Amino acid sequence: MKKPANCGLGAENLCLGNNGPCLKYGISVNQPIAHAELIASYKKVAADAAKKAALILTSASKGPGVIKSVSETAAKAARRRDVIASKLAKLGMALPE
């Protein structure tokens, strides 16, 4: 078996030859680790989105400009959460609670 070599696209990406599924650029990623990292990212982004959604309520007395900017920030966080959730759904993973 060929020794894994770093492809220069990040520490998590190793060239593994014909072992495992080939991804873009012929790089194979250790699937359980990739899934765990994606789930961890989802949990972090979901918590951030919930925190920013709660900030909308606390900034209600600050004025319309603040409410608008906080709402936009919360919408961006929710979008990031939804993107990661769609990636998990494409992998057939159940969303963590």
Side-chain angles (χ1 to χ4, degrees):
M1 184 171 151
K2 202 173 171 183
K3 183 179 176 184
N6 191 343
C7 293
L9 295 176
E12 68 279 357
N13 296 324
L14 297 175
C15 288
L16 299 176
N18 294 328
N19 298 331
C22 283
L23 301 176
K24 191 174 183 181
Y25 307 116
I27 296 171
S28 178
V29 177
N30 189 345
Q31 293 302 319
I33 293 172
H35 291 181
E37 289 175 357
L38 193 58
I39 290 170
S41 294
Y42 175 80
K43 288 180 180 180
K44 181 180 175 184
V45 171
D48 187 45
K51 178 181 171 185
K52 290 182 179 179
L55 283 175
I56 295 172
L57 299 175
T58 59
S59 66
S61 64
K62 305 284 184 185
V66 174
I67 293 172
K68 180 182 176 197
S69 64
V70 170
S71 296
E72 290 171 355
T73 303
K76 289 177 186 177
R79 232 176 288 129
R80 283 191 296 271
R81 180 198 60 215
D82 295 342
V83 166
I84 295 176
S86 69
K87 288 179 182 179
L88 284 170
K90 285 179 185 177
L91 292 172
M93 305 279 298
L95 292 175
E97 297 301 321

